[in-house]
mmCIF file of all heavy atoms in Angstrom:
data_model
loop_
_atom_site.group_PDB
_atom_site.id
_atom_site.type_symbol
_atom_site.label_atom_id
_atom_site.label_comp_id
_atom_site.label_asym_id
_atom_site.label_seq_id
_atom_site.Cartn_x
_atom_site.Cartn_y
_atom_site.Cartn_z
ATOM 1 N N SER A 7 -191.997 -53.565 -31.961
ATOM 2 C CA SER A 7 -190.750 -53.949 -32.636
ATOM 3 C C SER A 7 -189.719 -54.362 -31.611
ATOM 4 O O SER A 7 -189.820 -54.010 -30.425
ATOM 5 C CB SER A 7 -190.211 -52.771 -33.465
ATOM 6 O OG SER A 7 -189.135 -53.169 -34.289
ATOM 7 N N ASP A 8 -188.732 -55.116 -32.055
ATOM 8 C CA ASP A 8 -187.543 -55.430 -31.257
ATOM 9 C C ASP A 8 -187.911 -55.926 -29.858
ATOM 10 O O ASP A 8 -187.469 -55.392 -28.844
ATOM 11 C CB ASP A 8 -186.633 -54.197 -31.201
ATOM 12 C CG ASP A 8 -186.098 -53.848 -32.584
ATOM 13 O OD1 ASP A 8 -185.079 -54.444 -32.986
ATOM 14 O OD2 ASP A 8 -186.704 -53.000 -33.272
ATOM 15 N N ILE A 9 -188.696 -56.995 -29.843
ATOM 16 C CA ILE A 9 -189.096 -57.628 -28.581
ATOM 17 C C ILE A 9 -187.904 -58.332 -27.941
ATOM 18 O O ILE A 9 -187.759 -58.349 -26.713
ATOM 19 C CB ILE A 9 -190.245 -58.626 -28.819
ATOM 20 C CG1 ILE A 9 -191.448 -57.919 -29.462
ATOM 21 C CG2 ILE A 9 -190.663 -59.292 -27.501
ATOM 22 C CD1 ILE A 9 -192.488 -58.874 -30.035
ATOM 23 N N HIS A 10 -187.072 -58.943 -28.742
ATOM 24 C CA HIS A 10 -185.833 -59.591 -28.296
ATOM 25 C C HIS A 10 -186.054 -60.566 -27.133
ATOM 26 O O HIS A 10 -185.334 -60.545 -26.143
ATOM 27 C CB HIS A 10 -184.778 -58.543 -27.943
ATOM 28 C CG HIS A 10 -184.130 -57.936 -29.144
ATOM 29 N ND1 HIS A 10 -183.231 -58.622 -29.930
ATOM 30 C CD2 HIS A 10 -184.270 -56.710 -29.710
ATOM 31 C CE1 HIS A 10 -182.839 -57.844 -30.926
ATOM 32 N NE2 HIS A 10 -183.456 -56.679 -30.824
ATOM 33 N N SER A 11 -187.066 -61.385 -27.267
ATOM 34 C CA SER A 11 -187.382 -62.488 -26.345
ATOM 35 C C SER A 11 -187.838 -62.022 -24.970
ATOM 36 O O SER A 11 -187.903 -62.819 -24.036
ATOM 37 C CB SER A 11 -186.200 -63.466 -26.204
ATOM 38 O OG SER A 11 -185.290 -63.095 -25.194
ATOM 39 N N ASN A 12 -188.205 -60.744 -24.835
ATOM 40 C CA ASN A 12 -188.647 -60.220 -23.548
ATOM 41 C C ASN A 12 -190.155 -60.413 -23.394
ATOM 42 O O ASN A 12 -190.950 -59.479 -23.607
ATOM 43 C CB ASN A 12 -188.257 -58.748 -23.417
ATOM 44 C CG ASN A 12 -188.414 -58.229 -21.996
ATOM 45 O OD1 ASN A 12 -189.150 -58.797 -21.192
ATOM 46 N ND2 ASN A 12 -187.730 -57.144 -21.697
ATOM 47 N N ASN A 33 -195.846 -56.139 -36.058
ATOM 48 C CA ASN A 33 -194.572 -56.437 -35.407
ATOM 49 C C ASN A 33 -193.450 -56.296 -36.429
ATOM 50 O O ASN A 33 -193.410 -57.010 -37.434
ATOM 51 C CB ASN A 33 -194.610 -57.862 -34.837
ATOM 52 C CG ASN A 33 -193.251 -58.351 -34.388
ATOM 53 O OD1 ASN A 33 -192.432 -57.584 -33.899
ATOM 54 N ND2 ASN A 33 -193.003 -59.648 -34.552
ATOM 55 N N LEU A 34 -192.495 -55.402 -36.139
ATOM 56 C CA LEU A 34 -191.458 -55.052 -37.102
ATOM 57 C C LEU A 34 -190.181 -55.882 -36.981
ATOM 58 O O LEU A 34 -189.169 -55.540 -37.589
ATOM 59 C CB LEU A 34 -191.113 -53.563 -36.977
ATOM 60 C CG LEU A 34 -192.279 -52.602 -37.163
ATOM 61 C CD1 LEU A 34 -191.812 -51.164 -37.009
ATOM 62 C CD2 LEU A 34 -192.961 -52.797 -38.517
ATOM 63 N N GLY A 35 -190.205 -56.958 -36.205
ATOM 64 C CA GLY A 35 -189.095 -57.893 -36.237
ATOM 65 C C GLY A 35 -188.115 -57.800 -35.085
ATOM 66 O O GLY A 35 -188.243 -56.981 -34.184
ATOM 67 N N ASP A 36 -187.102 -58.665 -35.136
ATOM 68 C CA ASP A 36 -186.182 -58.952 -34.034
ATOM 69 C C ASP A 36 -186.992 -59.364 -32.804
ATOM 70 O O ASP A 36 -186.951 -58.728 -31.746
ATOM 71 C CB ASP A 36 -185.256 -57.766 -33.741
ATOM 72 C CG ASP A 36 -184.051 -57.736 -34.670
ATOM 73 O OD1 ASP A 36 -184.018 -58.544 -35.627
ATOM 74 O OD2 ASP A 36 -183.148 -56.911 -34.451
ATOM 75 N N THR A 37 -187.662 -60.480 -32.974
ATOM 76 C CA THR A 37 -188.682 -60.915 -32.027
ATOM 77 C C THR A 37 -188.156 -61.881 -30.984
ATOM 78 O O THR A 37 -188.439 -61.724 -29.788
ATOM 79 C CB THR A 37 -189.842 -61.579 -32.805
ATOM 80 O OG1 THR A 37 -190.382 -60.629 -33.735
ATOM 81 C CG2 THR A 37 -190.938 -62.060 -31.871
ATOM 82 N N LEU A 38 -187.359 -62.877 -31.386
ATOM 83 C CA LEU A 38 -187.070 -63.998 -30.497
ATOM 84 C C LEU A 38 -185.621 -64.098 -30.037
ATOM 85 O O LEU A 38 -185.324 -64.875 -29.126
ATOM 86 C CB LEU A 38 -187.458 -65.321 -31.189
ATOM 87 C CG LEU A 38 -188.924 -65.431 -31.620
ATOM 88 C CD1 LEU A 38 -189.174 -66.789 -32.274
ATOM 89 C CD2 LEU A 38 -189.870 -65.219 -30.448
ATOM 90 N N TYR A 39 -184.715 -63.330 -30.631
ATOM 91 C CA TYR A 39 -183.319 -63.425 -30.216
ATOM 92 C C TYR A 39 -183.088 -62.619 -28.942
ATOM 93 O O TYR A 39 -183.349 -61.422 -28.891
ATOM 94 C CB TYR A 39 -182.370 -62.916 -31.300
ATOM 95 C CG TYR A 39 -180.912 -63.012 -30.873
ATOM 96 C CD1 TYR A 39 -180.205 -64.190 -31.067
ATOM 97 C CD2 TYR A 39 -180.274 -61.958 -30.239
ATOM 98 C CE1 TYR A 39 -178.888 -64.311 -30.658
ATOM 99 C CE2 TYR A 39 -178.956 -62.062 -29.820
ATOM 100 C CZ TYR A 39 -178.264 -63.235 -30.024
ATOM 101 O OH TYR A 39 -176.964 -63.355 -29.595
ATOM 102 N N GLY A 40 -182.561 -63.289 -27.915
ATOM 103 C CA GLY A 40 -182.221 -62.621 -26.665
ATOM 104 C C GLY A 40 -182.166 -63.619 -25.521
ATOM 105 O O GLY A 40 -182.832 -64.666 -25.555
ATOM 106 N N THR A 47 -191.980 -65.982 -25.459
ATOM 107 C CA THR A 47 -192.293 -64.850 -26.337
ATOM 108 C C THR A 47 -193.016 -65.330 -27.581
ATOM 109 O O THR A 47 -194.036 -64.746 -27.991
ATOM 110 C CB THR A 47 -191.006 -64.111 -26.732
ATOM 111 O OG1 THR A 47 -190.378 -63.611 -25.552
ATOM 112 C CG2 THR A 47 -191.304 -62.959 -27.675
ATOM 113 N N ILE A 59 -193.086 -59.090 -39.588
ATOM 114 C CA ILE A 59 -192.054 -59.172 -40.606
ATOM 115 C C ILE A 59 -190.764 -59.641 -39.944
ATOM 116 O O ILE A 59 -190.685 -59.769 -38.728
ATOM 117 C CB ILE A 59 -191.855 -57.841 -41.359
ATOM 118 C CG1 ILE A 59 -191.369 -56.737 -40.403
ATOM 119 C CG2 ILE A 59 -193.132 -57.427 -42.068
ATOM 120 C CD1 ILE A 59 -191.023 -55.435 -41.111
ATOM 121 N N CYS A 60 -189.752 -59.884 -40.763
ATOM 122 C CA CYS A 60 -188.507 -60.464 -40.277
ATOM 123 C C CYS A 60 -187.470 -59.376 -39.988
ATOM 124 O O CYS A 60 -187.311 -58.432 -40.770
ATOM 125 C CB CYS A 60 -187.955 -61.421 -41.332
ATOM 126 S SG CYS A 60 -186.584 -62.445 -40.772
ATOM 127 N N GLY A 61 -186.781 -59.494 -38.859
ATOM 128 C CA GLY A 61 -185.664 -58.611 -38.546
ATOM 129 C C GLY A 61 -184.335 -59.303 -38.779
ATOM 130 O O GLY A 61 -184.272 -60.511 -39.007
ATOM 131 N N ASN A 62 -183.264 -58.536 -38.693
ATOM 132 C CA ASN A 62 -181.939 -59.113 -38.956
ATOM 133 C C ASN A 62 -181.592 -60.216 -37.974
ATOM 134 O O ASN A 62 -180.964 -61.219 -38.327
ATOM 135 C CB ASN A 62 -180.868 -58.023 -38.929
ATOM 136 C CG ASN A 62 -180.767 -57.303 -37.596
ATOM 137 O OD1 ASN A 62 -181.702 -56.594 -37.201
ATOM 138 N ND2 ASN A 62 -179.659 -57.444 -36.897
ATOM 139 N N GLN A 63 -181.997 -60.083 -36.703
ATOM 140 C CA GLN A 63 -181.654 -61.124 -35.729
ATOM 141 C C GLN A 63 -182.668 -62.252 -35.711
ATOM 142 O O GLN A 63 -182.419 -63.295 -35.105
ATOM 143 C CB GLN A 63 -181.437 -60.511 -34.353
ATOM 144 C CG GLN A 63 -180.160 -59.680 -34.319
ATOM 145 C CD GLN A 63 -179.672 -59.382 -32.926
ATOM 146 O OE1 GLN A 63 -180.441 -59.077 -32.015
ATOM 147 N NE2 GLN A 63 -178.367 -59.462 -32.743
ATOM 148 N N ASP A 64 -183.802 -62.075 -36.380
ATOM 149 C CA ASP A 64 -184.663 -63.221 -36.695
ATOM 150 C C ASP A 64 -183.983 -64.062 -37.770
ATOM 151 O O ASP A 64 -183.902 -65.292 -37.669
ATOM 152 C CB ASP A 64 -186.021 -62.746 -37.224
ATOM 153 C CG ASP A 64 -186.813 -61.947 -36.219
ATOM 154 O OD1 ASP A 64 -186.775 -62.306 -35.030
ATOM 155 O OD2 ASP A 64 -187.463 -60.966 -36.612
ATOM 156 N N ARG A 65 -183.501 -63.387 -38.788
ATOM 157 C CA ARG A 65 -182.821 -64.060 -39.895
ATOM 158 C C ARG A 65 -181.597 -64.830 -39.403
ATOM 159 O O ARG A 65 -181.300 -65.937 -39.874
ATOM 160 C CB ARG A 65 -182.440 -62.996 -40.936
ATOM 161 C CG ARG A 65 -181.784 -63.500 -42.177
ATOM 162 C CD ARG A 65 -181.766 -62.408 -43.262
ATOM 163 N NE ARG A 65 -181.225 -61.140 -42.791
ATOM 164 C CZ ARG A 65 -179.941 -60.855 -42.673
ATOM 165 N NH1 ARG A 65 -179.021 -61.782 -42.964
ATOM 166 N NH2 ARG A 65 -179.537 -59.661 -42.270
ATOM 167 N N LEU A 66 -180.905 -64.257 -38.435
ATOM 168 C CA LEU A 66 -179.734 -64.927 -37.855
ATOM 169 C C LEU A 66 -180.078 -66.326 -37.364
ATOM 170 O O LEU A 66 -179.290 -67.269 -37.539
ATOM 171 C CB LEU A 66 -179.195 -64.081 -36.699
ATOM 172 C CG LEU A 66 -178.114 -64.718 -35.807
ATOM 173 C CD1 LEU A 66 -176.822 -64.878 -36.582
ATOM 174 C CD2 LEU A 66 -177.895 -63.869 -34.562
ATOM 175 N N LEU A 67 -181.250 -66.485 -36.775
ATOM 176 C CA LEU A 67 -181.597 -67.755 -36.135
ATOM 177 C C LEU A 67 -181.801 -68.887 -37.136
ATOM 178 O O LEU A 67 -181.602 -70.053 -36.789
ATOM 179 C CB LEU A 67 -182.850 -67.593 -35.265
ATOM 180 C CG LEU A 67 -182.668 -66.697 -34.038
ATOM 181 C CD1 LEU A 67 -183.977 -66.543 -33.278
ATOM 182 C CD2 LEU A 67 -181.583 -67.253 -33.112
ATOM 183 N N LEU A 96 -190.089 -68.132 -38.193
ATOM 184 C CA LEU A 96 -189.296 -66.958 -38.565
ATOM 185 C C LEU A 96 -188.913 -66.994 -40.039
ATOM 186 O O LEU A 96 -188.917 -65.960 -40.721
ATOM 187 C CB LEU A 96 -188.029 -66.873 -37.709
ATOM 188 C CG LEU A 96 -188.195 -66.543 -36.233
ATOM 189 C CD1 LEU A 96 -186.846 -66.629 -35.529
ATOM 190 C CD2 LEU A 96 -188.804 -65.158 -36.036
ATOM 191 N N LEU A 99 -191.388 -65.455 -42.495
ATOM 192 C CA LEU A 99 -191.774 -64.049 -42.396
ATOM 193 C C LEU A 99 -191.192 -63.244 -43.555
ATOM 194 O O LEU A 99 -190.047 -63.454 -43.952
ATOM 195 C CB LEU A 99 -191.304 -63.461 -41.068
ATOM 196 C CG LEU A 99 -191.880 -64.101 -39.802
ATOM 197 C CD1 LEU A 99 -191.336 -63.392 -38.565
ATOM 198 C CD2 LEU A 99 -193.409 -64.076 -39.819
ATOM 199 N N HIS A 113 -187.993 -53.447 -41.292
ATOM 200 C CA HIS A 113 -187.278 -53.525 -40.012
ATOM 201 C C HIS A 113 -186.223 -52.441 -39.906
ATOM 202 O O HIS A 113 -186.235 -51.638 -38.969
ATOM 203 C CB HIS A 113 -186.629 -54.893 -39.826
ATOM 204 C CG HIS A 113 -185.853 -55.007 -38.551
ATOM 205 N ND1 HIS A 113 -186.464 -55.057 -37.314
ATOM 206 C CD2 HIS A 113 -184.511 -55.042 -38.307
ATOM 207 C CE1 HIS A 113 -185.541 -55.107 -36.362
ATOM 208 N NE2 HIS A 113 -184.345 -55.108 -36.945
ATOM 209 N N ASP A 119 -182.051 -54.828 -43.857
ATOM 210 C CA ASP A 119 -182.515 -54.957 -42.474
ATOM 211 C C ASP A 119 -181.430 -54.631 -41.451
ATOM 212 O O ASP A 119 -181.688 -54.623 -40.241
ATOM 213 C CB ASP A 119 -183.115 -56.341 -42.203
ATOM 214 C CG ASP A 119 -182.142 -57.493 -42.430
ATOM 215 O OD1 ASP A 119 -180.920 -57.245 -42.549
ATOM 216 O OD2 ASP A 119 -182.600 -58.657 -42.491
ATOM 217 N N LEU A 120 -180.210 -54.352 -41.920
ATOM 218 C CA LEU A 120 -179.113 -53.967 -41.023
ATOM 219 C C LEU A 120 -178.863 -52.457 -41.008
ATOM 220 O O LEU A 120 -178.000 -51.986 -40.268
ATOM 221 C CB LEU A 120 -177.826 -54.682 -41.443
ATOM 222 C CG LEU A 120 -177.779 -56.185 -41.180
ATOM 223 C CD1 LEU A 120 -176.593 -56.813 -41.899
ATOM 224 C CD2 LEU A 120 -177.709 -56.475 -39.696
ATOM 225 N N GLY A 155 -187.945 -50.098 -37.351
ATOM 226 C CA GLY A 155 -187.469 -50.391 -35.999
ATOM 227 C C GLY A 155 -185.952 -50.402 -36.013
ATOM 228 O O GLY A 155 -185.318 -49.488 -36.494
ATOM 229 N N HIS A 156 -185.368 -51.450 -35.430
ATOM 230 C CA HIS A 156 -183.937 -51.763 -35.508
ATOM 231 C C HIS A 156 -183.067 -50.921 -34.578
ATOM 232 O O HIS A 156 -182.147 -51.441 -33.959
ATOM 233 C CB HIS A 156 -183.455 -51.660 -36.953
ATOM 234 C CG HIS A 156 -182.076 -52.188 -37.204
ATOM 235 N ND1 HIS A 156 -181.609 -53.357 -36.633
ATOM 236 C CD2 HIS A 156 -181.052 -51.710 -37.969
ATOM 237 C CE1 HIS A 156 -180.363 -53.575 -37.037
ATOM 238 N NE2 HIS A 156 -180.003 -52.589 -37.840
ATOM 239 N N THR A 157 -183.314 -49.619 -34.460
ATOM 240 C CA THR A 157 -182.464 -48.776 -33.623
ATOM 241 C C THR A 157 -182.868 -48.792 -32.153
ATOM 242 O O THR A 157 -182.107 -48.329 -31.306
ATOM 243 C CB THR A 157 -182.489 -47.313 -34.080
ATOM 244 O OG1 THR A 157 -183.779 -46.760 -33.829
ATOM 245 C CG2 THR A 157 -182.149 -47.190 -35.549
ATOM 246 N N HIS A 158 -184.091 -49.243 -31.859
ATOM 247 C CA HIS A 158 -184.653 -49.262 -30.511
ATOM 248 C C HIS A 158 -184.969 -47.860 -29.989
ATOM 249 O O HIS A 158 -185.302 -47.711 -28.809
ATOM 250 C CB HIS A 158 -183.737 -49.992 -29.513
ATOM 251 C CG HIS A 158 -183.486 -51.426 -29.854
ATOM 252 N ND1 HIS A 158 -183.162 -52.380 -28.901
ATOM 253 C CD2 HIS A 158 -183.500 -52.089 -31.028
ATOM 254 C CE1 HIS A 158 -182.991 -53.549 -29.476
ATOM 255 N NE2 HIS A 158 -183.197 -53.399 -30.780
ATOM 256 N N SER A 176 -188.420 -50.044 -28.990
ATOM 257 C CA SER A 176 -188.250 -51.460 -28.657
ATOM 258 C C SER A 176 -189.153 -51.857 -27.503
ATOM 259 O O SER A 176 -189.140 -51.215 -26.445
ATOM 260 C CB SER A 176 -186.790 -51.735 -28.282
ATOM 261 O OG SER A 176 -186.634 -53.056 -27.807
ATOM 262 N N VAL A 177 -189.883 -52.936 -27.706
ATOM 263 C CA VAL A 177 -190.647 -53.514 -26.601
ATOM 264 C C VAL A 177 -189.703 -54.043 -25.524
ATOM 265 O O VAL A 177 -189.912 -53.819 -24.335
ATOM 266 C CB VAL A 177 -191.555 -54.655 -27.104
ATOM 267 C CG1 VAL A 177 -192.151 -55.445 -25.938
ATOM 268 C CG2 VAL A 177 -192.667 -54.108 -27.989
ATOM 269 N N GLY A 178 -188.641 -54.731 -25.950
ATOM 270 C CA GLY A 178 -187.926 -55.571 -25.014
ATOM 271 C C GLY A 178 -186.529 -55.183 -24.608
ATOM 272 O O GLY A 178 -185.984 -55.760 -23.660
ATOM 273 N N TYR A 182 -178.667 -50.604 -26.002
ATOM 274 C CA TYR A 182 -177.638 -51.589 -26.328
ATOM 275 C C TYR A 182 -176.414 -50.848 -26.834
ATOM 276 O O TYR A 182 -176.478 -49.675 -27.217
ATOM 277 C CB TYR A 182 -178.120 -52.604 -27.374
ATOM 278 C CG TYR A 182 -178.398 -52.042 -28.745
ATOM 279 C CD1 TYR A 182 -177.395 -51.947 -29.711
ATOM 280 C CD2 TYR A 182 -179.682 -51.613 -29.096
ATOM 281 C CE1 TYR A 182 -177.647 -51.446 -30.966
ATOM 282 C CE2 TYR A 182 -179.948 -51.099 -30.351
ATOM 283 C CZ TYR A 182 -178.930 -51.018 -31.283
ATOM 284 O OH TYR A 182 -179.188 -50.503 -32.532
#
Side-chain angles (χ1 to χ4, degrees):
S7 189
D8 295 276
I9 302 166
H10 283 288
S11 88
N12 193 339
N33 169 34
L34 303 180
D36 277 8
T37 301
L38 302 181
Y39 180 86
T47 299
I59 63 174
C60 191
N62 61 293
Q63 290 197 319
D64 297 322
R65 183 166 51 80
L66 170 69
L67 293 177
L96 291 175
L99 298 181
H113 178 71
D119 60 14
L120 289 168
H156 190 41
T157 68
H158 299 206
S176 173
V177 169
Y182 66 88

